[in-house]
Amino acid sequence: MTAGAPRVAVVGGGITGLVAAYRVRTALGPDAQITIVEASDRLGGTLRTVDIAGGPLDVGAEAFIGRRPEVPELMAELGITDQLVHPAGKRPSIYSGGELHPMPAGTLMGIPATASSMRGLVEESTLRRIEDDATSAFKWTPGSDVSVAELVGGRFGEQVLRRSVDPLLGGVYSGLSDSIGVRAALPTLAAALDSGAPNLSAAVAAALPTPSAGPVFGALRGGYSALVDALIAATDSITVLGTRVSSLIGERRGWRVDPVGHFDVVILAVPAPSLSAILADTVPDAADAAADIELASSVVVAMSVPGDTELPDNSGVLVATDAGLSAKAFTFSSRKWTHLATRDTVLLRASLGRFGDDGPLDLTDEQLVESAVRDLATVTGLEIRPNSTVVQRWRGGLPQYAPGHLDRVADIEAAVRDVPGLAVAGAWSHGVGVPACVASATRAAAHVCEVAR
């Protein structure tokens, strides 16, 4: 219980921090003094919308999972439901072996339940490995965790990993099957294995989601900046930009947030390495666990190309990791989103960089554009000269959910749970997507508001 108007610090101005601040405002009312402290020079984190060819385009996250309710419900609260849009329904293709292939159907993050789904994408020897899975000896220890590569590569082979699984994991985590654990990234598969699935194929079949009648993805007509701006306006907080919090010190009542000042309660909505640094002296067990969560970096090159450019009739192209290209994916934005297809120009995005490879970050903007255009020509056969480009670097943009990730998250949350007036949240915890970040922020805000009231 605080005396007078509660003073709340939200450290981190990404989507998690903004939602946490908004939830605190709605719970504590207009008298609460809310301060958002952000290390960079802007709010929004890995959500960023730029103007290109006279209109908005996201150069960070661009969509959210449609079957989760958090984002549409938040948009309704903020009065921006009219911003909700859905994709055109086109599927991506996969570039492998020098040609485009249809995205395999009936897979779980690219892991097949049957060999037939991989036909044409992998060689016959790999198809036989998948078919033999049903009769090969299989062992899984319930509760265990391994990398996706160890599980899937050991049963189905490298081609399935590099041509089907890695392209999808690269899109979600900017990672590889080697850097992502089964239990955190594929919980339904882990559950099927724990339940005694006789082989990997059977586990994948049991873990496949029930087809949804509604759209798989959603987005905002004006880009994610529409959501960010609405949250900022509704929260009415004090914003401190360009300030990195170095430590958190418990005081007789509340916390000293260095170098900002005293607050009654604090929400830390920062990446795992920053969380570890801030809590090193105050909650060392949480800091130690957070230090083990690594980050991946990436680059997005957004392009406007002539309106008569005939891109393939797909939402984009995922690039196999054995294809020898720098780009990991292309999003054909004007094909994927109907609201972008009405423009006079064609919009697309190239994505480069994965976990363990920071090389793209060191290239100049000109070199990145040249690389993206060169790979685009290889993938599509089109020689394209962009009318305009925007390069966005995301250094440490996405956490890697490595084997044992859920245990690390549990250790962080257990260490913080009984610390009065402190909560933590972020993409490092229970999902990297925007809906998961909204849910994480909502839980953190509810926790500190119990103390602040």
Side-chain angles (χ1 to χ4, degrees):
M1 182 72 69
T2 61
R7 289 171 49 85
V8 181
V10 177
V11 182
I15 185 61
T16 306
L18 291 175
V19 172
Y22 167 69
R23 295 296 188 209
V24 169
R25 175 63 70 203
T26 57
L28 300 183
D31 293 336
Q33 299 178 38
I34 303 171
T35 301
I36 299 175
V37 187
E38 166 58 34
S40 73
D41 60 358
R42 52 175 286 273
L43 297 177
T46 54
L47 303 185
R48 186 183 177 212
T49 308
V50 299
D51 184 271
I52 185 168
L57 183 70
D58 283 314
V59 291
E62 63 159 0
F64 56 85
I65 296 294
R67 66 176 176 269
R68 291 195 59 154
E70 289 91 349
V71 176
E73 289 178 356
L74 179 61
M75 291 173 65
E77 289 180 44
L78 295 168
I80 57 171
T81 299
D82 61 330
Q83 285 282 328
L84 181 62
V85 293
H86 298 293
K90 300 182 186 298
R91 290 175 59 81
S93 57
I94 293 180
Y95 180 78
S96 176
E99 59 184 344
L100 294 175
H101 302 265
M103 171 70 73
T107 70
L108 181 70
M109 195 62 76
I111 309 172
T114 63
S116 60
S117 65
M118 293 285 108
R119 189 168 299 280
L121 182 60
V122 300
E123 296 172 359
E124 286 295 324
S125 58
T126 297
L127 293 176
R128 288 194 294 272
R129 288 190 65 167
I130 301 171
E131 291 170 346
D132 291 345
D133 177 62
T135 56
S136 300
F138 180 73
K139 183 179 180 181
W140 174 264
T141 303
S144 63
D145 197 11
V146 297
S147 72
V148 175
E150 182 177 344
L151 175 65
V152 179
R155 301 295 290 184
F156 295 161
E158 284 290 309
Q159 287 186 351
V160 171
L161 292 178
R162 306 312 167 202
R163 301 180 184 182
S164 183
V165 179
D166 277 347
L168 287 160
L169 288 174
V172 177
Y173 297 99
S174 284
L176 295 163
S177 53
D178 312 74
S179 67
I180 302 298
V182 171
R183 192 159 293 277
L186 299 166
T188 58
L189 179 60
L193 293 167
D194 288 348
S195 297
N199 51 64
L200 180 56
S201 300
V204 173
L208 287 171
T210 302
S212 173
V216 176
F217 297 106
L220 284 85
R221 185 180 306 278
Y224 265 122
S225 64
L227 178 60
V228 169
D229 291 345
L231 285 167
I232 293 171
T235 300
D236 188 27
S237 64
I238 300 167
T239 301
V240 180
L241 297 176
T243 301
R244 186 175 299 278
V245 170
S246 58
S247 65
L248 192 64
I249 303 168
E251 298 186 322
R252 188 174 68 85
R253 297 187 63 176
W255 298 93
R256 167 77 44 188
V257 178
D258 188 19
V260 185
H262 174 85
F263 296 88
D264 299 307
V265 296
V266 176
I267 297 173
L268 298 178
V270 294
S274 298
L275 183 68
S276 177
I278 293 170
L279 294 180
D281 296 327
T282 307
V283 193
D285 288 345
D288 290 345
D292 290 333
I293 300 175
E294 297 184 276
L295 305 180
S297 300
S298 63
V299 174
V300 172
V301 179
M303 292 181 256
S304 164
V305 302
D308 59 357
T309 303
E310 289 294 332
L311 292 173
D313 193 24
N314 300 104
S315 61
V317 176
L318 303 177
V319 179
T321 50
D322 61 2
L325 301 186
S326 297
K328 65 182 179 184
F330 295 94
T331 302
F332 300 153
S333 304
S334 294
R335 295 281 198 197
K336 183 174 181 178
W337 302 102
T338 55
H339 68 288
L340 297 179
T342 60
R343 295 199 199 172
D344 295 334
T345 187
V346 173
L347 301 172
L348 60 93
R349 305 180 352 155
S351 299
L352 304 88
R354 297 177 185 271
F355 176 69
D357 176 19
D358 288 346
L361 295 175
D362 299 327
L363 299 178
T364 66
D365 286 4
E366 183 179 24
Q367 289 172 324
L368 286 165
V369 171
E370 289 176 354
S371 178
V373 170
R374 183 172 56 249
D375 285 354
L376 180 63
T378 299
V379 167
T380 65
L382 301 173
E383 295 295 334
I384 292 175
R385 294 182 181 274
N387 295 326
S388 57
T389 61
V390 174
V391 175
Q392 174 65 55
R393 292 168 174 80
W394 295 115
R395 188 175 295 278
L398 282 171
Q400 297 300 282
Y401 282 25
H405 181 78
L406 295 184
D407 293 334
R408 287 184 282 275
V409 171
D411 288 345
I412 294 169
E413 294 178 339
V416 171
R417 186 175 298 120
D418 296 327
V419 179
L422 176 65
V424 295
W428 53 264
S429 58
H430 297 284
V432 298
V434 173
C437 290
V438 172
S440 176
T442 300
R443 289 189 296 269
H447 181 74
V448 299
C449 285
E450 291 179 2
V451 176
R453 285 191 176 94

